[in-house]
Amino acid sequence: MTTTTINQAAAAPSVLDAARIYAALGLSVIPLHGKRPALERWAQYQQQRASASDIDDWHRRGLLHNVGIVCGEVSGGLTVLDLDGAAGYPAFAATFPGLADTFTVATGGGVGRHVYFYTNTLPPSIKAMSTPIGNLELCASGRQVVAPPSIHPTSGQPYRVAQARDILRVPD
């Protein structure tokens, strides 16, 4: 039996295909323009996942330029550590090597990383901007992240898999 993984979703040939696969994996997806939600209101997708017909409708209406994954309970306790800056990910991986062994995305901006976890207890979403190692964000409930194969709005580069691993489950 073949199991579809987040790595296969990230390698999908189109944003539409990726959105469908992410959703089939139990992740809540939303359409994005650049890095921002393309929907006026996306709060409902923080509580319930989009249906296949929602995703197809977004595509038909021209809203699905990029795909976002909604963090939090709706996506099985998904929490993403967003590390921007050249020193962020190396410092994280050196300090927490066991936690670094998870699905990780290289952002299209060039130096950032999104480090994915499933957590049993969701942390608060927090931001620590302009730290010595860059900008750090912990994205949980109420947040979303840009997912591969989306294109970064400034650089024009794709978000891509940096570490093709399963998403690590951590207690908290």
Side-chain angles (χ1 to χ4, degrees):
M1 179 170 108
T2 303
T3 303
T4 302
T5 68
I6 193 163
N7 295 291
Q8 291 165 312
S14 72
V15 170
L16 174 60
D17 291 333
R20 288 174 174 159
I21 298 169
Y22 288 130
L25 291 170
L27 299 170
S28 183
V29 298
I30 57 171
L32 302 178
H33 282 299
K35 296 180 175 186
R36 305 278 180 228
L39 302 170
E40 272 188 45
R41 294 182 193 93
W42 64 280
Q44 77 184 70
Y45 300 106
Q46 295 172 38
Q47 305 302 317
Q48 68 184 41
R49 293 187 297 274
S51 68
S53 62
D54 289 331
I55 295 167
D56 289 342
D57 180 58
W58 298 334
H59 178 68
R60 272 192 303 280
R61 293 175 29 209
L63 297 176
L64 196 60
H65 299 279
N66 281 339
V67 61
I69 297 176
V70 179
C71 299
E73 193 63 42
V74 70
S75 289
L78 183 68
T79 302
V80 177
L81 179 59
D82 182 355
L83 302 160
D84 286 331
Y89 183 77
F92 168 77
T95 305
F96 305 104
L99 293 178
D101 191 25
T102 188
F103 180 75
T104 303
V105 170
T107 66
V111 295
R113 295 285 186 273
H114 291 168
V115 184
Y116 285 56
F117 303 100
Y118 285 122
T119 57
N120 295 338
T121 303
L122 286 167
S125 293
I126 57 171
K127 291 183 181 187
M129 308 308 272
S130 301
T131 75
I133 61 169
N135 297 333
L136 312 171
E137 296 182 57
L138 191 60
C139 303
S141 295
R143 299 291 307 279
Q144 58 84 21
V145 293
V146 183
S150 298
I151 301 298
H152 191 278
T154 305
S155 72
Q157 296 300 308
Y159 285 70
R160 60 178 178 72
V161 175
Q163 274 199 147
R165 306 268 195 286
D166 288 334
I167 299 173
L168 185 65
R169 178 160 292 280
V170 297
D172 54 29

